[in-house]
Structures are given as structure tokens and as C-alpha cells.
């Protein structure tokens, strides 16, 4: 049994981790942690997330002393904000834990990226170099040996799962940058109240044009430029991405289909559509990324859908843990 700590357990991604870890036959929840000053300290998690009532009623414990929580823990999931993960991960690694970080704190190994896109100067370049990017389907060998896993961003997961096999197989004419239009539900912004996320404010609107931090994350790991435009939609959860690309001259529908099929035929959490394209309702509440496409001449449109809190966060984190420790990849996920 792996003693497992979930930090940020009261958040949206944290609560999904609690559900998965609780039903994992090889993991045992040692504690559910929140900040030292949390308003929710001492409350049962099921008071905040009633879907857990009678399933997990453990209290949310304020993390006043990290060493108290790291002692005896084998695995730590950090479902915390980027700056918090940046500070906590080294302490848990030092204590010998395997750390799965759901934030952006260790995703991109660059000197300038964090200051420009996250607003802080990264203090742990050695950990940036060591962290393994947890795009699970594409990084299995490195994940098996990793001690710090940077779980990808929600938007970059769907975008890369759609584009990577096509780029690797050299099917795309990259002189036309793939255009990724993505719409996310509001849970992507976390549980904390904010005017911009409140019911009457949210409609359907693009944001972060040319400046969103997921664009350079996608580019860094894909090795190709893209145009990425996120949108906020007025629904709670799910991400749908429509990716428009140019195929190299002569590339056919069959070649695209065969390339995706080859990439994902033994990957249970990516589901390919032979006909049509996915809708959000097919993946919300489920750990899959669904992919469909259409071709017309040299033009390709790929559609990818996932639950931002699941394949975009908690499910991919547990998938990475399953790979890291040699369990079935879908253990406790489906
Ligand atoms: N929401 C999403 O769709 C996705 C989120 N992510 C990433 O996952 C992480 C969590 O996101 P999300 O669940 O949405 O966030 P939430 O805002 O919903 O939750 C954040 C959690 O962190 C806790 N927390 C805050 N400060 C500390 C601290 N110092 N020590 C310990 N716990 C703390 C909060 O509790 P309290 O404030 O009471 O202490 C809360 O439990 C973020 O880095 C986010 O970028 C990644 C992919 C998708
Ligand atoms: C709708 C919404 O606000 N989404 C968030 C992204 C989700 C997230 O949590 O960011 P990471 O994947 O980088 O951790 C945003 O655009 O900043």
C-alpha cells in the first residue's frame, strides 16, 4: 500500500483526486491537507463536496508543518496553486516522496518562462531539469523512473494528444501554424470565488489572446508553433478544442486515421471516433480524451474533448501514478 497525501484536497481537482485515490486498491489516503490558514480547516471534506458523503468523510487538515505530513508518505499529489507547488514540491522530494504536481510549477524547463507567464522567478532550476512531463500516453518510460511529475495543463493535454501523433508522423504542413480554439468550463479557474467566474458574469468569451501560458507550454513540448485561443464558456466543466491544420500535399483521410489509430490503439484513455467528432457530454465525469476529425483537401479539423478536472488534471495525475508504480494504467479511473 502506498501512503498517499493529497494537498489542496478541498479544491476542484483535489476532490477528484480524493475520489480516485480512495478507491485505489494500492493507495491509502494518509491525510487531506489545506493551507495553514484555511477557512475549511477541520471540516470533513464531504461537507464541501457532498458527493463524497459516506465515502470519504476525512477532515481537511491545515498544513502548518510540512514535515508532519511528509513523514511516512510515499506519494504526494499537489493540487495547489503554482507558487504553492513551487515551494512545497522540494520539501516533499527531500523527504523521499514521489510528487505528482497538478500545477504549472514544473512543466516547462526554461529560465524566462516562469517570470513572463507565471509572474515569479523560479527558484529550483535543478528540479525543472529533473521533472518529467506527465503527458501519460507519450512519456511512459520516463514516468516509470520519475520522482517529480509535472502533470500537464488542462488545455495542453487535449491539444497535444490531438496534434502530437500527426506532427511526429510528419503529416502536417507546419508552415501554417495549427490553430487551436478551445472552450473550457468555469471549474478550470478553480473553486475560489471571483467576479470574473460568477454566474451572471460568465457568458462565452475568448481570453488570453496570444498571451495565455498554455501556448508556450504546448509549443515547448510539441516542438512546433501553434496559435492557441482559450474561451470561457458558461458551463461547469469540460474542455472542447477545435484544431485547424494544413496537411502536407497528398496526405489523405486514411493516413490521418491510421496514424491516430497506431498512436492510441493500446492507450485506453484516448478514444478515437471513426465517424463524427466528440461532444463535451461524452467525456464530462470521465477520464478520457476523445478525438475525431474531418479532412477536406489539404485542410484538417481535429476535435478533442476531455473533462478539464479529470484527463485535464486528476485522472491524468492518477494515470501517471499508475504508470510510475506499475499498476494497470486505468486502475481506479474506469
Ligand atoms: N481546475 C482545473 O481544471 C485544473 C487545475 N489545474 C491546476 O491544479 C491546481 C489546483 O487547481 P484547482 O483544484 O482548480 O484549485 P482550487 O482553487 O479549486 O483549489 C486549491 C486548493 O489548494 C488549497 N490551498 C491553497 N493554499 C494552500 C497552501 N498553502 N497549502 C496547502 N493547500 C493550499 C486550497 O484550500 P484553502 O485555500 O482552503 O487552503 C484548495 O484546497 C492548480 O495549480 C491548477 O492550476 C490543472 C489542470 C486543470
Ligand atoms: C477556465 C480557466 O480559467 N482555465 C485556466 C486554466 C486551467 C488551469 O488550472 O491551469 P493549469 O492547467 O495551468 O494548471 C486558465 O485559463 O488559466
Amino acid at each position: 500500500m502506498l501512503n498517499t497525501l493529497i494537498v489542496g484536497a478541498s479544491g476542484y481537482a483535489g476532490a477528484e483526486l480524493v475520489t480516485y485515490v480512495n478507491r485505489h486498491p494500492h493507495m491509502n489516503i494518509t491525510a487531506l491537507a489545506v493551507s495553514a490558514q484555511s477557512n475549511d480547516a477541520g471540516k470533513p471534506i464531504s461537507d464541501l463536496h457532498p458527493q463524497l458523503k459516506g465515502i470519504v468523510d476525512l477532515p481537511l487538515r491545515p498544513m502548518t508543518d510540512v514535515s508532519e505530513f511528509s513523514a511516512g508518505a510515499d506519494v504526494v499529489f499537489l493540487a495547489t496553486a503554482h507558487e504553492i507547488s513551487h515551494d512545497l514540491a522540494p520539501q516533499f522530494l527531500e523527504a523521499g516522496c514521489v510528487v505528482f504536481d497538478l500545477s504549472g510549477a514544473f512543466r516547462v524547463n526554461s529560465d524566462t518562462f516562469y517570470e513572463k507567464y507565471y509572474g515569479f522567478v523560479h527558484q529550483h532550476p535543478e528540479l525543472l531539469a529533473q521533472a518529467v512531463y506527465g503527458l501519460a500516453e507519450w512519456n511512459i518510460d520516463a514516468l516509470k523512473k520519475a520522482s517529480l511529475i509535472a502533470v500537464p495543463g488542462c488545455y495542453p493535454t487535449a491539444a497535444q494528444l490531438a496534434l502530437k501523433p500527426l506532427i511526429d508522423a510528419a503529416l502536417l504542413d507546419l508552415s501554417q501554424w495549427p490553430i487551436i480554439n478551445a472552450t473550457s468550463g468555469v471549474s478550470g479557474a478553480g473553486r475560489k470565488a471571483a467576479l470574473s467566474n460568477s454566474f451572471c458574469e460568465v457568458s462565452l468569451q475568448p481570453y488570453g489572446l496570444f498571451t495565455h501560458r498554455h501556448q508556450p507550454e504546448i509549443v515547448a513540448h510539441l516542438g512546433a508553433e501553434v496559435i492557441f485561443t482559450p474561451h470561457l464558456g458558461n458551463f461547469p466543466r469540460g474542455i472542447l478544442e477545435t484544431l485547424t491544420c494544413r496537411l502536407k500535399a497528398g496526405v489523405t483521410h486514411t493516413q490521418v486515421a491510421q496514424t491516430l489509430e497506431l498512436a492510441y490503439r493500446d492507450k485506453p484513455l484516448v478514444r478515437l471516433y471513426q465517424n463524427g467528432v466528440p461532444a463535451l457530454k461524452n467525456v464530462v465525469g470521465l477520464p478520457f480524451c476523445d478525438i475525431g476529425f474531418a479532412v477536406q483537401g489539404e485542410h484538417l479539423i481535429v476535435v478533442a474533448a476531455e473533462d478539464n478536472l479529470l484527463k485535464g488534471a486528476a485522472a491524468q495525475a492518477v494515470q501517471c501514478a499508475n504508470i510510475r508504480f506499475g499498476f494497470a494504467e486505468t486502475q481506479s479511473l474506469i
Side-chain angles (χ1 to χ4, degrees), residues 82 102-104 107 118 152-156 184-190 197 207 212-214 217 230-232 312:
H82 319 292
L102 280 70
S103 87
R107 290 179 192 151
Y118 284 79
C154 46
Y155 290 117
S184 171
V186 186
S187 61
N197 302 337
Y207 64 101
H212 196 280
R213 59 184 186 255
H214 285 176
E217 180 184 332
H231 299 63
L232 187 65

Side-chain angles (χ1 to χ4, degrees), residues 30 68 158 270 302:
T30 55
E68 214 177 276
V270 178
V302 188

Side-chain angles (χ1 to χ4, degrees), residues 183 185 235-241 271 273 277-291 303-308 310:
T183 303
F235 50 91
R237 57 200 279 176
I239 284 180
L240 187 106
E241 301 191 2
R271 302 190 299 192
Y273 287 40
V277 290
L280 268 194
K281 69 182 175 66
N282 308 2
V283 292
V284 169
L286 295 167
F288 303 105
C289 179
D290 284 7
I291 297 175
V303 178
E306 65 177 14
D307 188 319
N308 54 297
L310 299 181

Side-chain angles (χ1 to χ4, degrees), residues 102-245:
L102 280 70
S103 87
F106 297 96
R107 290 179 192 151
V108 175
N109 186 5
S110 151
D111 307 341
T112 51
F113 173 77
Y114 284 94
E115 196 168 3
K116 182 165 178 196
Y117 289 99
Y118 284 79
F120 65 87
V121 177
H122 211 287
Q123 303 298 320
H124 309 293
E126 73 293 352
L127 294 183
L128 282 178
Q130 174 194 321
V132 169
Y133 189 63
L135 189 67
E137 281 72 16
W138 292 93
N139 239 346
I140 288 181
D141 291 340
L143 280 170
K144 286 180 181 163
K145 302 184 282 259
S147 50
L148 173 58
I149 293 89
V151 182
C154 46
Y155 290 117
T157 293
Q160 291 175 91
L161 289 174
L163 289 176
K164 194 164 167 46
L166 305 172
I167 290 176
D168 286 2
L171 299 189
L172 300 187
D173 174 355
L174 293 171
S175 66
Q176 179 182 303
W177 295 5
I179 295 170
I180 306 163
N181 285 320
T183 303
S184 171
V186 186
S187 61
R191 189 165 179 271
K192 219 175 241 146
L195 185 60
S196 55
N197 302 337
S198 73
F199 186 78
C200 292
E201 294 296 322
V202 176
S203 130
L204 174 59
Q205 190 175 28
Y207 64 101
L209 280 74
F210 294 121
T211 58
H212 196 280
R213 59 184 186 255
H214 285 176
Q215 192 271 352
E217 180 184 332
I218 295 167
V219 171
H221 291 284
L222 212 49
E225 285 293 347
V226 298
I227 291 179
F228 168 69
T229 311
H231 299 63
L232 187 65
N234 63 352
F235 50 91
R237 57 200 279 176
I239 284 180
L240 187 106
E241 301 191 2
T242 303
L243 305 99
T244 307
C245 316

